[in-house]
Amino acid sequence: MSRKKSFGLDLTTVVKAGPGSRMQVPKTFAGMGSSRVALITDKGLIEAGVVDKVAEAFAESDVSIAGTFDGVRQDNDTRDINEIAGWYKDIGADGILGVGGGSVMDAAKSAKALLGMGATDILELFGGRTIVSYARPKAKPLGIPHISTPTTSGTGAEVSQGSAILHAETRKKLIFFHQHSNSDFAFLDPELTVSLPRHLTAEPAFDSLVHCFEGFFTPLHNSFADALALRAARLILDNLPIAVEDPGNLDARGELQAASTMSVTASVSGRGAAPIHNFADAVGPHYGISHGLSNAVYAPIVLKNFPSHYLKRIRTFAQGLGMTTESKSDEELLAEVKTEVVNLMQICGIQSKFDINVDAKEYAHLVKEVKEDPAGMAYPLPDDVIETCLKESLNVNA
């Protein structure tokens, strides 16, 4: 009798979803004992008026916004975390509200951990490592009421317990995991996403789609991850074309938010952060390319060039997407799934590769960065796969 591998599901964030759900944020903070909230966001969301939509909920509440930090970078880095923690103390806040995409929410989570663990620099908590994990019972409650209101549909950072952080000096991606860093409540309000430009609707959704691939095809796949990944992938394929063509469609946008939350949970449950994120995490920050766009470009490239990772389970995945699988080989089904991704990219106006010229020295550096990326350390990629995928995604003169 074969021994079943252990698996589990850790979703400790309470999720509230629906148009206008953001209006429940102040009374939720009050229920957690918070009266002075630190709002963390970025400048773009302030300029777009999205933050005002959240702040209006506090107009007639005894809970106030003690201050707004709008300095989170596109790829939040260690400076953001340390600055937020110091600012939080200065304004005398007693709760954290993250309003934004993955970088904002990851910055908020990491700053909460920094404050709750009594450190002064986030790098202290890494101890020289690129991945650090604080799990229960070692991980203790951080003691700071925390709510997330995502404004994009992709990372799922509103419920995940891990944060991606860029090292300000080395520019390497760090992964910080703490089992109490996730928000207490997440409000998925599609009204906060309707003003997004086309590319910010589309690109984050591909990060979510990649979470589906990685949660389903991981060697540590399990029933929880399978169910969430398959449903989330179907939601993305069905609703992203609607959302980019009809930005005001709240039903489609709400489904994309649900898919984002589900897909990251699938990825974490399946402990599957590879192999597409290996490339996105390494190449994206190096060239200042958004995380969603990086994942979009690498998804079909990796599907094509690393078939051994996908073929064993591709039939079940294709069936979950509603594809006809009878009389088709696994190779044919993998090609069809890849075509679905490419078609979705074309609908969204996303290019198939980056128009970036890379010389031999820089190419060698990128190969090294992909190999060392913390997202894929558990499942190292073959050298030939790394090299082929990089050459297909960039103009390599090596």
Side-chain angles (χ1 to χ4, degrees), residues 7-29:
F7 62 93
L9 184 67
D10 188 349
L11 180 58
T12 52
T13 299
V14 177
V15 177
K16 304 283 188 178
S21 59
R22 68 188 184 280
M23 302 304 289
Q24 302 175 43
V25 168
K27 70 176 183 181
T28 305
F29 269 119

Side-chain angles (χ1 to χ4, degrees), residues 145-167:
H146 178 197
I147 293 176
S148 293
T149 55
T151 60
T152 59
S153 303
T155 66
E158 65 273 6
V159 298
S160 66
Q161 297 168 339
S163 299
I165 308 169
L166 203 62
H167 193 300

